[in-house]
Amino acid sequence: LAGREDHGNVVVFDASMRERYIDQAEILTSFSDSITNKDFKVYYQPVVEAASGKIIGAEALVRWIHPTRGLIGPNRFIPALETNGFITQLDYYVLQQVYTFQQSLQTGGMPFVPISVNLSRQDFYDDSFISHVLNLAQESSLPTDSINYEVTETAVALLKENCRYLLQQVRLGGAKVLLDDFGSGFSSLGMVGDYSFDVVKIDKSFIDQIDAEPTVRTVIKSTIDMCHGIGLRVIAEGVEGASQLEFLKGCGCDYIQGFYFSRPLSEGDFCAYLSKAQIGTQSDAVVLTPRD
Ligand code: C2E
Ligand code: MG
Ligand code: MG
Ligand code: MG
């Protein structure tokens, strides 16, 4: 339980209250103010190499630090923003924040950590968003794979042409494209070979079943082999346990993202994590050990 002062009353938030429904209208009326006030904060979840535990990247994940409701996770406001056309504004805001943060990491001499940003399928309907993304990349002096993009297979399936154009352009510029939540949406094996992805992220719903379901273990192993066969790297998403990690390592899974290594971290905590990871290691290696 976390206590919090609010207009003189102590308000205690617990898990069930945090799950409480937020009215769509409330989200939409406070959205613009929250953008102006910078109440949306980007958190960063490390992605590590399975074999070594070395950090190889991070995913940018937005949170809403709501003036009265506290921290709200994206699953509770992104669907409303998507339905009402605000998501693209948020995604552009997040992208700008990530550029600024990446710039400060690199200026501050931190180890190089590529950061991936989530794109909503709504973003692909917006031609000006697409040109803004390409402009940001062109104008930036950061290494070209500093900022990468995550798209879901559903977005790709529904928006073939716009999506193909943006993804081709960002890859030409040197950025990586990650296929997010693989296996959870409109999947077709053709899509994996057809489009230019660099990395496939196996959805958490599969990882959750590793311990209990032999069939799912076979599906995961086959997916990893198939991706490797066509030159793609694989990230397992939502790894929480040592037995899951061991299984994935045994399958040759390249990278791991999950609470087993770290939750998504605020900018400050992420910097602390990176600095700590440097201590006692060779200058060319950032070795991380699992945490609870
Ligand atoms: P995603 O892109 O698949 O991101 C991974 C989600 O899994 C994150 O949830 C992360 O916190 C969670 N996760 C990672 N490891 C574990 C684990 O070990 N256990 C558990 N229980 N969860 C884990 P989060 O941050 O709540 O984000 C949910 C979704 O919201 C994201 O799924 C993404 O689709 C969307 N999202 C987040 N930020 C943005 C954004 O800036 N723009 C857009 N368009 N969508 C975003
Ligand atoms: Mg993602
Ligand atoms: Mg995902
Ligand atoms: Mg997801």
Side-chain angles (χ1 to χ4, degrees):
L1 293 185
R4 174 170 181 278
E5 287 286 312
D6 194 14
H7 304 296
N9 301 313
V10 176
V11 180
V12 178
F13 287 86
D14 65 16
S16 66
M17 287 173 75
R18 259 188 266 120
E19 288 311 310
R20 202 168 52 185
Y21 181 70
I22 305 184
D23 188 58
Q24 278 216 14
E26 185 191 336
I27 293 174
L28 301 173
T29 49
S30 42
F31 174 74
S32 295
D33 284 348
S34 284
I35 287 279
T36 309
N37 299 333
K38 296 196 189 301
D39 289 338
F40 290 100
K41 300 288 181 211
V42 184
Y43 277 50
Y44 296 87
Q45 185 176 28
V47 177
V48 307
E49 188 176 58
S52 67
K54 266 168 58 175
I55 185 166
I56 57 90
E59 178 175 10
L61 294 158
V62 71
R63 274 91 184 88
W64 192 348
I65 315 296
H66 194 279
T68 57
R69 291 175 177 274
L71 192 149
I72 307 176
N75 288 331
R76 297 183 59 219
F77 57 86
I78 285 187
L81 298 180
E82 281 180 329
T83 320
N84 291 279
F86 289 104
I87 187 65
T88 301
Q89 200 186 334
L90 180 65
D91 284 345
Y92 188 61
Y93 174 87
V94 168
L95 189 59
Q96 288 174 307
Q97 298 296 309
V98 173
Y99 266 99
T100 306
F101 183 55
Q102 180 64 279
Q103 187 78 60
S104 75
L105 287 178
Q106 294 188 20
T107 314
M110 289 292 195
F112 178 66
V113 180
I115 299 173
S116 63
V117 174
N118 289 284
L119 299 181
S120 162
R121 68 189 173 95
Q122 294 298 324
D123 299 339
F124 298 110
Y125 288 112
D126 187 333
D127 292 341
S128 73
F129 175 81
I130 294 178
S131 56
H132 282 319
V133 169
L134 298 175
N135 283 343
L136 271 180
Q138 267 162 15
E139 283 161 18
S140 166
S141 57
L142 297 170
T144 52
D145 58 345
S146 297
I147 310 284
N148 300 304
Y149 302 91
E150 298 196 4
V151 294
T152 65
E153 54 199 352
T154 306
V156 178
L158 290 176
L159 291 156
K160 294 189 189 330
E161 284 321 309
N162 282 2
C163 195
R164 189 191 292 276
Y165 174 74
L166 177 65
L167 301 185
Q168 274 175 350
Q169 293 301 309
V170 299
R171 284 186 92 235
L172 280 174
K176 301 275 196 296
V177 176
L178 292 74
L179 184 57
D180 204 354
D181 301 346
F182 184 67
S184 72
F186 280 95
S187 285
S188 106
L189 287 180
M191 179 190 294
V192 181
D194 220 29
Y195 282 83
S196 311
F197 301 110
D198 301 282
V199 179
V200 166
K201 302 185 76 170
I202 299 179
D203 194 65
K204 180 180 190 304
S205 57
F206 295 92
I207 308 307
D208 286 343
Q209 299 179 71
I210 285 175
D211 292 336
E213 297 291 341
T215 318
V216 174
R217 288 199 289 274
T218 305
V219 169
I220 292 172
K221 169 87 174 97
S222 309
T223 302
I224 293 169
D225 289 343
M226 184 255 315
C227 289
H228 287 168
I230 55 175
L232 300 172
R233 298 289 195 160
V234 180
I235 297 177
E237 286 193 290
V239 175
E240 295 180 342
S243 56
Q244 295 170 341
L245 175 62
E246 284 317 308
F247 172 75
L248 291 161
K249 276 184 175 172
C251 295
C253 184
D254 303 283
Y255 309 121
I256 306 289
Q257 179 178 355
F259 294 177
Y260 185 70
F261 284 96
S262 175
R263 289 178 178 262
L265 303 170
S266 67
E267 288 190 356
D269 287 347
F270 185 73
C271 287
Y273 188 85
L274 281 181
S275 308
K276 208 161 160 188
Q278 281 184 295
I279 294 171
T281 65
Q282 300 300 316
S283 57
D284 62 341
V286 181
V287 179
L288 302 179
T289 49
R291 302 172 159 187
D292 292 328

